[in-house]
Amino acid sequence: MAEAKDMADETAIDPVTLTVIQNGLAQVCNEMDLAFCRAAFSPVISEAMDRSDGIYAAGDGALIAQGDLGLPVFVGTMQYGTQAVIERVTDPRPDDVVICNDPYLGGTHLMDVRFYRPFFYRGELFCWLANTGHWPDTGGMVPGGFSARATEVEQEGLRLPPVKLFKQGELDPEILAIIQSNIRISEQRIGDIKAQAAALKIGDKRLTALLDRYGAETVKAAIAQLRARSSQLMRAKIATIPDGTYEGEAFVDSDGVVDEPLRIAMRITVAGEEMTFDMSESSPPCRGPMNSVIATTRSSVYLAMKHIFPDVPLNAGTYEPLHIVDPRGTFLYAEYPRPVSGCAAEVSQRIAEAVFAALTKAIPDQLFAAPAGSSGNFALGGHDPVKGRSYVMYVISGGGYGGYAEGDGLTNGCSTIGISKSQPVEVLEQYFPVLFHEYALHEGSGGAGASRGGFGLNYALSVRRGEARASMVMDHGRTGPQGVLGGKDGGPNRVRVDFADGKSHAPAHLSKDQDIAIGPGDVVRVSTPGGGGYGAPFARDPAKVAADVARGYYSAEEAAALFGVALDEGGVVDAAATARLRGT
């Protein structure tokens, strides 16, 4: 912070130039994101946009810029990942590309593969360009990598330390051979590899053009000023929160191995312009894959604060007033060989939920009830006899957002940790031998409140031919997302497999299971969580309740039981009966 402030003081840049450079840096990242998703082979990248690109400092890996299109959870983790690369790759050269997916070196889970490219300008290492893309498979016990019962990281897939996959622009065939020999559907990964590397090359060209226009010293000074300004603005936002200590909690359904909930205990201390986050009283390390590496734990706090104060520009300065006590000895500080496949998509969202729960007590008008908080990770791997090839399909799904002071929660929104979206069913049906039987709202799942939660999603699919294995690592099956200020919890996650022989299977761990053998005629049914309610349900405008019933969101019986609103046979509010139900 001191170094950035000193540079900012020494070389003041006029506001117009500073804004242009700020937007120029973001545009470099946006173009990398677009190049990546347009060229990628995997629908989870090209359609669901499960990826991110950023620019990081040459000296310490600090975040310089990220675009508008990348997953927020990757922003913080790539900062720590870049630090690990700087420490281990001592001779970066132009056109090198380093690959790494080691969770313990600034990562998430093994499927999130990170590429790093040193950016040289006129012979000097100026910064690093980095991106992350979710590969559909990196080996391991089950197709897709989401092993609900893994007890060590080796069971989840291939773990790569920082190594140069491209050496001065040339793809290393030996490292590529190691990767392809250890993952499923390896012949398709070369397309994603080249797309990921090409995105960084696009960033190299665009950043070079920006430096050619304004000069390296001016851009360096702008980066320092932008960092100082973000820090200053975040401090100003924190100053609006009353000083004090605030506590909240959230629970993970189970670790997939031991059927007991895992508690995230969040204690936030606000002192002037700084905040301290202490999670040291959380559950101990778990046997199953719901441990979180420290980079993901920190990034989850960062993205939670960005949800609360979205107008703070994102760079390393944004994080400087946020102090996180390393929660050693808990499942939020995973160390080798703890399995971690659920950390990025699930545990990270429980951490954010705990932040929201704590700060609702301090600034209720700026907060909201808990969102669905699950990426709904569903993986299906099998063989297509018609196309004569194997496949791995990875599906993410949306859920309801929590209600807030000004209105109801968003329905079928993306996960808390990103802007990723569900792939269109038409695309999935084109790529894979599956058929969707249902894709509709999870009606009634929005938690009741003065502002109700948004609704989750119901979907059902089957394989059209061949045999497959299904695995899932989801969450919020034991309890739904938290309501606040008297609001009710949202509807929980549900999974069921209806077999062609009339039998059904529901996971023992509710939201987590693996290696379920399915074939034609078997139907997998998933219901995603709805958002929590905000405020007392009986305070909801009866006209809004009537409108929800008319749309089929709730039944008339649910309207009476949840909101204390009586409707006549025509769906019109019966004011007298409503008053009796509400005791007014």
Side-chain angles (χ1 to χ4, degrees), residues 254-270:
S254 75
D255 69 357
V257 176
V258 179
D259 194 11
E260 296 177 359
L262 299 168
R263 178 173 179 257
I264 296 171
M266 180 69 66
R267 181 181 293 111
I268 302 175
T269 301
V270 181

PDB file of all heavy atoms in Angstrom, residues 254-270:
ATOM      1  N   SER A 254     -22.843 -31.311   4.394  1.00  0.00           N
ATOM      2  CA  SER A 254     -21.950 -32.356   4.887  1.00  0.00           C
ATOM      3  C   SER A 254     -20.713 -32.312   4.017  1.00  0.00           C
ATOM      4  O   SER A 254     -20.653 -31.560   3.035  1.00  0.00           O
ATOM      5  CB  SER A 254     -22.598 -33.742   4.815  1.00  0.00           C
ATOM      6  OG  SER A 254     -22.621 -34.206   3.474  1.00  0.00           O
ATOM      7  N   ASP A 255     -19.733 -33.135   4.352  1.00  0.00           N
ATOM      8  CA  ASP A 255     -18.533 -33.163   3.514  1.00  0.00           C
ATOM      9  C   ASP A 255     -18.601 -34.242   2.438  1.00  0.00           C
ATOM     10  O   ASP A 255     -17.654 -34.444   1.689  1.00  0.00           O
ATOM     11  CB  ASP A 255     -17.274 -33.343   4.372  1.00  0.00           C
ATOM     12  CG  ASP A 255     -17.171 -34.727   5.023  1.00  0.00           C
ATOM     13  OD1 ASP A 255     -18.096 -35.545   4.862  1.00  0.00           O
ATOM     14  OD2 ASP A 255     -16.158 -34.989   5.701  1.00  0.00           O
ATOM     15  N   GLY A 256     -19.733 -34.972   2.370  1.00  0.00           N
ATOM     16  CA  GLY A 256     -19.885 -36.040   1.401  1.00  0.00           C
ATOM     17  C   GLY A 256     -19.456 -37.397   1.927  1.00  0.00           C
ATOM     18  O   GLY A 256     -19.835 -38.423   1.372  1.00  0.00           O
ATOM     19  N   VAL A 257     -18.676 -37.409   2.995  1.00  0.00           N
ATOM     20  CA  VAL A 257     -18.194 -38.664   3.594  1.00  0.00           C
ATOM     21  C   VAL A 257     -18.831 -38.871   4.966  1.00  0.00           C
ATOM     22  O   VAL A 257     -19.389 -39.921   5.263  1.00  0.00           O
ATOM     23  CB  VAL A 257     -16.649 -38.665   3.709  1.00  0.00           C
ATOM     24  CG1 VAL A 257     -16.162 -39.919   4.429  1.00  0.00           C
ATOM     25  CG2 VAL A 257     -16.024 -38.561   2.327  1.00  0.00           C
ATOM     26  N   VAL A 258     -18.750 -37.855   5.813  1.00  0.00           N
ATOM     27  CA  VAL A 258     -19.374 -37.883   7.140  1.00  0.00           C
ATOM     28  C   VAL A 258     -20.649 -37.052   7.069  1.00  0.00           C
ATOM     29  O   VAL A 258     -20.609 -35.866   6.711  1.00  0.00           O
ATOM     30  CB  VAL A 258     -18.415 -37.317   8.207  1.00  0.00           C
ATOM     31  CG1 VAL A 258     -19.091 -37.322   9.580  1.00  0.00           C
ATOM     32  CG2 VAL A 258     -17.119 -38.115   8.244  1.00  0.00           C
ATOM     33  N   ASP A 259     -21.772 -37.667   7.416  1.00  0.00           N
ATOM     34  CA  ASP A 259     -23.065 -37.002   7.242  1.00  0.00           C
ATOM     35  C   ASP A 259     -23.381 -36.087   8.422  1.00  0.00           C
ATOM     36  O   ASP A 259     -24.316 -36.305   9.182  1.00  0.00           O
ATOM     37  CB  ASP A 259     -24.165 -38.050   7.063  1.00  0.00           C
ATOM     38  CG  ASP A 259     -25.457 -37.425   6.544  1.00  0.00           C
ATOM     39  OD1 ASP A 259     -25.427 -36.250   6.137  1.00  0.00           O
ATOM     40  OD2 ASP A 259     -26.504 -38.115   6.553  1.00  0.00           O
ATOM     41  N   GLU A 260     -22.573 -35.055   8.553  1.00  0.00           N
ATOM     42  CA  GLU A 260     -22.780 -34.037   9.578  1.00  0.00           C
ATOM     43  C   GLU A 260     -22.508 -32.668   8.958  1.00  0.00           C
ATOM     44  O   GLU A 260     -21.615 -32.531   8.115  1.00  0.00           O
ATOM     45  CB  GLU A 260     -21.837 -34.247  10.764  1.00  0.00           C
ATOM     46  CG  GLU A 260     -22.067 -35.541  11.528  1.00  0.00           C
ATOM     47  CD  GLU A 260     -21.048 -35.731  12.644  1.00  0.00           C
ATOM     48  OE1 GLU A 260     -20.152 -34.847  12.781  1.00  0.00           O
ATOM     49  OE2 GLU A 260     -21.136 -36.741  13.356  1.00  0.00           O
ATOM     50  N   PRO A 261     -23.241 -31.641   9.361  1.00  0.00           N
ATOM     51  CA  PRO A 261     -23.008 -30.309   8.792  1.00  0.00           C
ATOM     52  C   PRO A 261     -21.680 -29.718   9.240  1.00  0.00           C
ATOM     53  O   PRO A 261     -21.167 -30.034  10.316  1.00  0.00           O
ATOM     54  CB  PRO A 261     -24.186 -29.480   9.324  1.00  0.00           C
ATOM     55  CG  PRO A 261     -24.633 -30.201  10.563  1.00  0.00           C
ATOM     56  CD  PRO A 261     -24.363 -31.662  10.322  1.00  0.00           C
ATOM     57  N   LEU A 262     -21.128 -28.872   8.399  1.00  0.00           N
ATOM     58  CA  LEU A 262     -19.900 -28.131   8.700  1.00  0.00           C
ATOM     59  C   LEU A 262     -20.281 -26.673   8.946  1.00  0.00           C
ATOM     60  O   LEU A 262     -20.976 -26.056   8.133  1.00  0.00           O
ATOM     61  CB  LEU A 262     -18.917 -28.225   7.537  1.00  0.00           C
ATOM     62  CG  LEU A 262     -18.443 -29.638   7.160  1.00  0.00           C
ATOM     63  CD1 LEU A 262     -17.722 -29.600   5.817  1.00  0.00           C
ATOM     64  CD2 LEU A 262     -17.539 -30.201   8.232  1.00  0.00           C
ATOM     65  N   ARG A 263     -19.793 -26.118  10.049  1.00  0.00           N
ATOM     66  CA  ARG A 263     -20.174 -24.751  10.430  1.00  0.00           C
ATOM     67  C   ARG A 263     -19.092 -23.757  10.051  1.00  0.00           C
ATOM     68  O   ARG A 263     -17.903 -23.978  10.288  1.00  0.00           O
ATOM     69  CB  ARG A 263     -20.418 -24.676  11.936  1.00  0.00           C
ATOM     70  CG  ARG A 263     -20.774 -23.285  12.462  1.00  0.00           C
ATOM     71  CD  ARG A 263     -21.162 -23.348  13.922  1.00  0.00           C
ATOM     72  NE  ARG A 263     -21.483 -22.030  14.459  1.00  0.00           N
ATOM     73  CZ  ARG A 263     -20.670 -21.314  15.244  1.00  0.00           C
ATOM     74  NH1 ARG A 263     -19.469 -21.811  15.577  1.00  0.00           N
ATOM     75  NH2 ARG A 263     -21.038 -20.120  15.682  1.00  0.00           N
ATOM     76  N   ILE A 264     -19.518 -22.665   9.442  1.00  0.00           N
ATOM     77  CA  ILE A 264     -18.651 -21.509   9.209  1.00  0.00           C
ATOM     78  C   ILE A 264     -19.052 -20.449  10.225  1.00  0.00           C
ATOM     79  O   ILE A 264     -20.171 -19.931  10.200  1.00  0.00           O
ATOM     80  CB  ILE A 264     -18.796 -20.962   7.778  1.00  0.00           C
ATOM     81  CG1 ILE A 264     -18.337 -22.011   6.771  1.00  0.00           C
ATOM     82  CG2 ILE A 264     -18.003 -19.667   7.617  1.00  0.00           C
ATOM     83  CD1 ILE A 264     -18.643 -21.656   5.332  1.00  0.00           C
ATOM     84  N   ALA A 265     -18.163 -20.176  11.157  1.00  0.00           N
ATOM     85  CA  ALA A 265     -18.407 -19.179  12.197  1.00  0.00           C
ATOM     86  C   ALA A 265     -17.674 -17.896  11.807  1.00  0.00           C
ATOM     87  O   ALA A 265     -16.447 -17.864  11.786  1.00  0.00           O
ATOM     88  CB  ALA A 265     -17.913 -19.685  13.544  1.00  0.00           C
ATOM     89  N   MET A 266     -18.432 -16.865  11.502  1.00  0.00           N
ATOM     90  CA  MET A 266     -17.856 -15.608  11.016  1.00  0.00           C
ATOM     91  C   MET A 266     -17.959 -14.534  12.101  1.00  0.00           C
ATOM     92  O   MET A 266     -19.056 -14.239  12.598  1.00  0.00           O
ATOM     93  CB  MET A 266     -18.594 -15.147   9.760  1.00  0.00           C
ATOM     94  CG  MET A 266     -18.084 -13.856   9.152  1.00  0.00           C
ATOM     95  SD  MET A 266     -16.440 -14.011   8.417  1.00  0.00           S
ATOM     96  CE  MET A 266     -16.777 -15.142   7.062  1.00  0.00           C
ATOM     97  N   ARG A 267     -16.816 -13.977  12.466  1.00  0.00           N
ATOM     98  CA  ARG A 267     -16.788 -12.847  13.398  1.00  0.00           C
ATOM     99  C   ARG A 267     -16.110 -11.687  12.677  1.00  0.00           C
ATOM    100  O   ARG A 267     -14.942 -11.768  12.298  1.00  0.00           O
ATOM    101  CB  ARG A 267     -16.037 -13.186  14.678  1.00  0.00           C
ATOM    102  CG  ARG A 267     -16.013 -12.020  15.687  1.00  0.00           C
ATOM    103  CD  ARG A 267     -15.243 -12.359  16.953  1.00  0.00           C
ATOM    104  NE  ARG A 267     -15.910 -13.390  17.736  1.00  0.00           N
ATOM    105  CZ  ARG A 267     -15.445 -14.621  17.899  1.00  0.00           C
ATOM    106  NH1 ARG A 267     -14.284 -14.969  17.330  1.00  0.00           N
ATOM    107  NH2 ARG A 267     -16.101 -15.505  18.619  1.00  0.00           N
ATOM    108  N   ILE A 268     -16.845 -10.600  12.484  1.00  0.00           N
ATOM    109  CA  ILE A 268     -16.330  -9.440  11.763  1.00  0.00           C
ATOM    110  C   ILE A 268     -16.204  -8.271  12.736  1.00  0.00           C
ATOM    111  O   ILE A 268     -17.173  -7.904  13.401  1.00  0.00           O
ATOM    112  CB  ILE A 268     -17.259  -9.052  10.597  1.00  0.00           C
ATOM    113  CG1 ILE A 268     -17.415 -10.231   9.623  1.00  0.00           C
ATOM    114  CG2 ILE A 268     -16.727  -7.816   9.862  1.00  0.00           C
ATOM    115  CD1 ILE A 268     -18.416  -9.969   8.516  1.00  0.00           C
ATOM    116  N   THR A 269     -15.023  -7.702  12.785  1.00  0.00           N
ATOM    117  CA  THR A 269     -14.782  -6.529  13.628  1.00  0.00           C
ATOM    118  C   THR A 269     -14.561  -5.324  12.736  1.00  0.00           C
ATOM    119  O   THR A 269     -13.689  -5.338  11.854  1.00  0.00           O
ATOM    120  CB  THR A 269     -13.558  -6.742  14.532  1.00  0.00           C
ATOM    121  OG1 THR A 269     -13.785  -7.888  15.357  1.00  0.00           O
ATOM    122  CG2 THR A 269     -13.315  -5.524  15.401  1.00  0.00           C
ATOM    123  N   VAL A 270     -15.370  -4.308  12.954  1.00  0.00           N
ATOM    124  CA  VAL A 270     -15.251  -3.056  12.207  1.00  0.00           C
ATOM    125  C   VAL A 270     -14.659  -2.016  13.136  1.00  0.00           C
ATOM    126  O   VAL A 270     -15.189  -1.754  14.229  1.00  0.00           O
ATOM    127  CB  VAL A 270     -16.623  -2.584  11.683  1.00  0.00           C
ATOM    128  CG1 VAL A 270     -16.478  -1.293  10.889  1.00  0.00           C
ATOM    129  CG2 VAL A 270     -17.280  -3.662  10.836  1.00  0.00           C
TER     130      VAL A 270
END
